[in-house]
Structures are given as C-alpha cells and as structure tokens.
Amino acid sequence: MIGFEILPRQRAVAASHVAEFRDLPVANVSDVMSRMAAGGAALRPMHDGTGMAGPALTVRCRPGDNLLVHKALDLAAPGDVIVVDAGGDLTNAIIGEIMVAYAARRKLGGIVINGAIRDSATLRRGSFPVYAAGVTHRGPYKDGPGVINGAISLAGMVIEPGDLVIGDEDGLLCVPYKQVEEVLAATRAKHHVEEKMMADIAAGTLDTGWVDARLKALGCQGL
C-alpha cells in the first residue's frame, strides 16, 4: 500500500558527534546555521529540560494514529531519537507515560512528536527527552497507515533518517548528516566567543562599541 511501509535506515550520524553536540546550546547551533532551520516554536520540551541529541529515526503517521510509532520503538537502536510527524494535530495523543517508559528502558535518545502527548505531569517530572506540540487526554488509534524512515518535515525543517536531532529548553533543531562536522566546528567557535563575552561582562570590560557603529552605518540620527 502506498504510504504504508517500513524502510531501512541507510546511515546515521556518528556517536562521537552526538556526544559533542550534547553539551552545546541549540541556540549556538541555530546561529551558525544562519537561523534558517527550526522545527517550529510549537514543539516544546515536555520533560524536565534535559538535553537531547541523537540520530533521527523518522515516522510519518496519520494524525491521531500511533501504530507505526509502536513499531519504531522496537526498531530504534539505543541513542536514537524517534521523530514523528503526526501533522501537528492535537486531537489525539500519540504517546504517553507507558510508551515513554518503554523508550527509556530501551535507552533511546528521545522522542519528538509533531502532535500531542498525554500523561504530561509524569513526563514533566522525568528526564527522558520528549518534545511535542501540545497535550490532550484523548488517546490514539492504531490503524495506520504511515512510513518509518522516510523524509519528514516539521514546520519546513526537513529531517532525513540518520540526521542529527538536538534539543534543549529553547527547542529543537536538525543538523543534516552531511553538514554535521562543519556545523560542529562553527558551533564550537561561536560558543567560545559567547563564553568570552560572558567573562568580559563579569569583569566589566565588554566592548559595546559595535552598537553605535552599526547605528551609524544604518543612518540613525542623533548619535
């Protein structure tokens, strides 16, 4: 049936890169990616804010149906982040406490739901990373169809199976597989600059001369 299939994942970002991104702010990664990629402001952490990083195992399902998500939980390897495009619909929850407990027991890296979750109080007390667009008590259906390990899009951000998915309290972001090393190097440099700025603020030596220079270049009057 068209739109109802399980595909093999052909590649995945290296565990060493996953570990290095885990300690970097998502905002820094976003900045070096020209602030052009985002999964949408609606996708928020539903857990205690613990950082998330791991290779994507993608799922596209019909809004309100989680049959393929259950299968993805069994297919995912330790460290994988299951990313589910459920159409952003908030009518029915795609996952809840039981599925998250199972994912944590299997040592997955996290779950992203472009849709709703339930059992939110329990999930918020936990450290297992869960991102979603909303909460509802209404449960899901289990009829399909859906696709595992196909390309998906969250608010225009394309995610391919094996891409790096990262998240923190500011939201989440996908780093394409082929750009991981370039983005990592640029993010390290950006983070170093910001650490130096924080040190200068603490020492009272931060140079803010760029503000007037920028205003002058833009033709601002009254300087």
Side-chain angles (χ1 to χ4, degrees):
M1 178 186 295
I2 295 173
F4 200 3
E5 59 184 336
I6 299 169
L7 303 170
R9 188 170 67 182
Q10 301 297 329
R11 79 288 195 272
V13 64
S16 58
H17 288 143
V18 171
E20 293 183 85
F21 271 95
R22 189 171 285 116
D23 295 326
L24 293 169
V26 171
N28 285 172
V29 183
S30 180
D31 284 350
V32 305
M33 293 179 69
S34 299
R35 306 181 178 102
M36 293 290 288
L43 290 173
R44 306 305 307 160
M46 297 290 175
H47 59 295
D48 68 359
T50 298
M52 177 184 74
L57 189 154
T58 62
V59 181
R60 186 168 68 251
C61 62
R62 185 167 60 179
D65 191 289
N66 75 354
L67 178 60
L68 271 292
V69 182
H70 278 280
K71 182 60 179 177
L73 287 172
D74 285 333
L75 290 175
D80 281 352
V81 174
I82 295 178
V83 187
V84 181
D85 179 10
D89 183 79
L90 305 181
T91 307
N92 297 82
I94 299 297
I95 64 168
E97 171 182 15
I98 292 174
M99 293 176 74
V100 169
Y102 184 57
R105 179 68 179 82
R106 299 202 66 241
K107 301 186 185 304
L108 304 191
I111 302 178
V112 177
I113 304 291
N114 186 22
I117 57 100
R118 65 179 180 177
D119 305 321
S120 58
T122 299
L123 300 191
R124 286 194 181 97
R125 290 193 295 267
S127 60
F128 184 84
V130 176
Y131 291 78
V135 176
T136 180
H137 56 80
R138 295 176 61 173
Y141 300 98
K142 295 172 173 60
D143 301 308
V147 177
I148 292 177
N149 282 328
I152 61 173
S153 174
L154 306 183
M157 182 178 72
V158 176
I159 303 176
E160 299 273 0
D163 285 349
L164 176 67
V165 179
I166 57 175
D168 62 16
E169 290 179 318
D170 286 339
L172 62 96
L173 183 62
C174 173
V175 182
Y177 177 83
K178 292 182 179 180
Q179 297 177 5
V180 165
E181 291 190 3
E182 178 185 3
V183 172
L184 177 59
T187 303
R188 284 175 178 154
K190 172 69 174 177
H191 191 50
H192 176 73
V193 168
E194 292 198 355
E195 288 181 322
K196 175 64 165 57
M197 291 176 68
M198 292 299 292
D200 288 345
I201 290 171
T205 59
L206 183 68
D207 181 5
T208 60
W210 69 269
V211 178
D212 285 347
R214 179 64 172 159
L215 290 170
K216 183 176 180 180
L218 292 171
C220 181
Q221 303 297 309
L223 293 176

